Amino acid sequence: MGPSVHRTFRGALVLALVAAPVLLGCSRPDEAEERPSRLVAFATPEGCELSPVAPRQMAGAYLRETEGPGIFDTVILRGTENTNALAPALRVDDAPVRPRPTGVLGRAINTRPGTAVPVERLEGVGGARGYILSYAGDGLSHMGLAVVGETPAGAEMPTSGQLRLSGPAVLTLRGAGGEDVALSGQVEAVVGFGSGTMALRLSQIVAEDGRTPPFATITWSGLGLCGTRIVSTGRGSVRVTGEDGRIITPFGRDGAPTAALSTLDGALTAGAARGDAPGGAGGVLMIQGDAASLRGGFALRAGN
């Protein structure tokens, strides 16, 4: 695949579960249990205002790559109540404005078959789960990392204080020639509920093939909260350093720091019990430059 072009898709992915009836008197499934959604559909994103009566629901983000020119779309994920994971085999509806019949059976009309393969390093960390989500449509194949989880209810979102998070990241470094190198790392983050901001630091970066990565840490400041979402605001900054702590510019040619564009999208995840404060977060990120690009995702747990 040749050099990549980065675009931001301002859509959302609504996930609805075709569920079996729930028997009265049965207890609610344990928070750690997978409760997968089997239908995914693109839709228009909502605003950042979060109602106090908003329920817990699946949410997350999908960094989708389209086969061919290497176009990346950052797709927001939204889902239904009582789901927190993706089913291995699912249906994808990527035409949000097409009229469709109502009802459970109508939702599956004109959808496309897809697969969601769990990413072991991002399984069940703080409620977030990572998958390689793939599907095909209109003669094109789409594949990428999706990180989802059950988000807090509106009444569970603090309006002051901060939350410290940490957890693993999976990454892919792509050079100008199109070669992909798999990386892993650790993320530490701080969410400020009063200021509506978030900052994260990516470190302990290791290449799976044993080579030395071209950078040691990435610090991303100026991220914002949008309801239960974590988003890049356009006012943030990305600082990349080497082993000696000096600032480097590995993504732009000739050391040009402005040659890279960056985007991050994700969501906070709900606490273990109803009424608890957020217990973690998960999301995807992309830094796209003329010389190289970095993409991947993370799953974080509170208090680590």
Side-chain angles (χ1 to χ4, degrees):
M1 191 174 291
S4 300
V5 178
H6 175 240
R7 299 177 184 171
T8 300
F9 180 84
R10 285 303 177 194
L13 204 60
V14 173
L15 296 94
L17 173 65
V18 182
V22 177
L23 297 178
L24 296 177
C26 290
S27 60
R28 188 177 183 276
D30 184 84
E31 290 295 331
E33 181 184 343
E34 282 196 355
R35 292 169 272 119
S37 177
R38 305 182 189 282
L39 175 68
V40 293
F42 287 19
T44 303
E46 301 172 357
C48 294
E49 292 298 322
L50 184 64
S51 169
V53 298
R56 290 186 173 194
Q57 63 174 357
M58 184 193 290
Y62 178 30
L63 186 56
R64 182 186 67 169
E65 182 177 11
T66 300
E67 182 183 17
I71 297 173
F72 289 91
D73 301 318
T74 305
V75 182
I76 305 163
L77 302 180
R78 286 284 187 255
T80 57
E81 297 178 52
N82 301 321
T83 59
N84 65 359
L86 298 182
L90 71 170
R91 305 289 302 183
V92 178
D93 182 354
D94 59 359
V97 298
R98 180 175 59 230
R100 62 180 66 85
T102 59
V104 173
L105 294 179
R107 294 181 198 167
I109 293 177
N110 297 322
T111 59
R112 316 173 195 274
T115 59
V117 179
V119 177
E120 183 177 357
R121 187 169 168 80
L122 302 182
E123 280 193 288
V125 181
R129 292 175 167 85
Y131 302 86
I132 299 300
L133 177 60
S134 306
Y135 74 99
D138 298 328
L140 297 173
S141 296
H142 309 282
M143 183 178 70
L145 179 63
V147 181
V148 303
E150 187 174 37
T151 60
E156 296 168 340
M157 280 292 292
T159 57
S160 63
Q162 66 180 22
L163 178 67
R164 293 187 176 275
L165 306 163
S166 64
V170 294
L171 306 162
T172 301
L173 178 67
R174 176 174 293 182
E179 178 191 11
D180 282 345
V181 178
L183 309 174
S184 62
Q186 287 292 122
V187 172
E188 296 176 322
V190 178
V191 178
F193 293 106
S195 61
T197 61
M198 175 174 165
L200 65 80
R201 182 176 184 268
L202 173 64
S203 62
Q204 302 179 42
I205 302 167
V206 178
E208 289 188 2
D209 62 4
R211 75 180 71 182
T212 301
F215 45 83
T217 64
I218 296 177
T219 304
W220 201 322
S221 60
L223 297 166
L225 295 181
C226 178
T228 58
R229 288 175 56 208
I230 304 163
V231 296
S232 48
T233 62
R235 298 187 298 274
S237 63
V238 177
R239 182 175 181 266
V240 185
T241 58
E243 289 289 350
D244 59 1
R246 294 184 180 182
I247 296 176
I248 57 176
T249 55
F251 304 110
R253 294 190 184 279
D254 302 321
T258 58
L261 300 174
S262 54
T263 185
L264 183 148
D265 215 308
L268 297 171
T269 55
R274 294 286 179 176
D276 285 357
V284 298
L285 60 86
M286 177 81 178
I287 302 174
Q288 178 72 56
D290 295 331
S293 67
L294 182 72
R295 67 187 188 274
F298 53 88
L300 310 179
R301 185 188 303 277
N304 284 6

